[in-house]
Amino acid sequence: MDSSPAKVMSTRRRYWLSMMALVVALPAALAAQTWGSIKDWRAQHVRQPVSVTLGQPIDYAGASWTVTRFTRLAGSKGSAVVLAEFEALAADPKALGVVPCKVGLSDGSGREWQPTLFADPVVRKQYPEAQQRSLCGGSAFAAAEPGKPARMAASFSIPPAASNLTLSITLYSALPNYLSVSEPRT
């Protein structure tokens, strides 16, 4: 075995060069391997809002959508209620009926609320026709006739102090885009 000082230095140098190469190559290999997973995660979690103006139709997910009402009401027991009504005119309503739909409400502080299914009596009393509308999704589109809009509604029970409200309507087939409607200024 040759243990000359030059041979030992050469072996040590190769060892440390290979360690430095490993420090660079390993993260690069991991990044290349997981890039597809990162893109998939981003597509599922990063959303792009499509701004909608109350009363104005907009094309989204194969239908023409219109938010017809976005109203804040004084609720019972010191709460506030937001009633949102919207409709979608689709060439093939049955096809949209199988696509999951999600409706949500958020405020300027980042708090979020889910629909409450018209639980507050204020909605039932002031807007009884809203009870005849379906929640967003399958049953609304299943009941729609071709050439007629599917009419939907959602109500939210929120704290009275909530401000800068934004309604979001998401069809999973159209992700990462979703409809975003800001509360009308009164």
Side-chain angles (χ1 to χ4, degrees), residues 55-120:
Q56 297 297 313
I58 189 164
D59 290 334
Y60 173 71
S64 177
W65 290 77
T66 306
V67 177
T68 56
R69 180 175 290 150
F70 190 175
T71 306
R72 184 191 295 237
L73 308 164
S76 59
K77 301 177 186 169
S79 68
V81 176
V82 172
L83 174 62
E85 294 182 67
F86 44 96
E87 58 189 34
L89 179 60
D92 185 5
K94 305 291 187 243
L96 276 182
V98 298
V99 177
C101 181
K102 181 180 177 186
V103 179
L105 186 71
S106 61
D107 70 357
S109 301
R111 295 179 292 183
E112 296 181 357
W113 297 274
Q114 300 305 311
T116 58
L117 300 171
F118 308 113
D120 198 292

Side-chain angles (χ1 to χ4, degrees), residues 137-175:
S139 60
F141 291 110
E145 299 173 27
K148 303 263 183 173
R151 289 179 167 47
M152 297 160 273
S155 67
F156 304 87
S157 181
I158 63 169
S163 61
N164 297 322
L165 299 176
T166 302
L167 175 72
S168 64
I169 303 169
T170 306
L171 263 71
Y172 287 15
S173 63
L175 287 174

Side-chain angles (χ1 to χ4, degrees), residues 6-77:
K7 186 73 167 173
V8 170
M9 288 300 276
S10 174
T11 304
R12 285 184 183 162
R13 187 177 330 197
R14 279 185 294 196
Y15 172 79
W16 287 112
L17 285 174
S18 65
M19 285 294 128
M20 289 179 9
L22 186 60
V23 166
V24 172
L26 187 60
L30 288 173
Q33 182 69 22
T34 59
W35 182 248
S37 297
I38 291 169
K39 284 179 26 182
D40 291 343
W41 179 88
R42 183 174 162 80
Q44 292 174 0
H45 293 88
V46 176
R47 308 286 168 93
Q48 297 294 321
V50 176
S51 292
V52 178
T53 303
L54 188 66
Q56 297 297 313
I58 189 164
D59 290 334
Y60 173 71
S64 177
W65 290 77
T66 306
V67 177
T68 56
R69 180 175 290 150
F70 190 175
T71 306
R72 184 191 295 237
L73 308 164
S76 59
K77 301 177 186 169

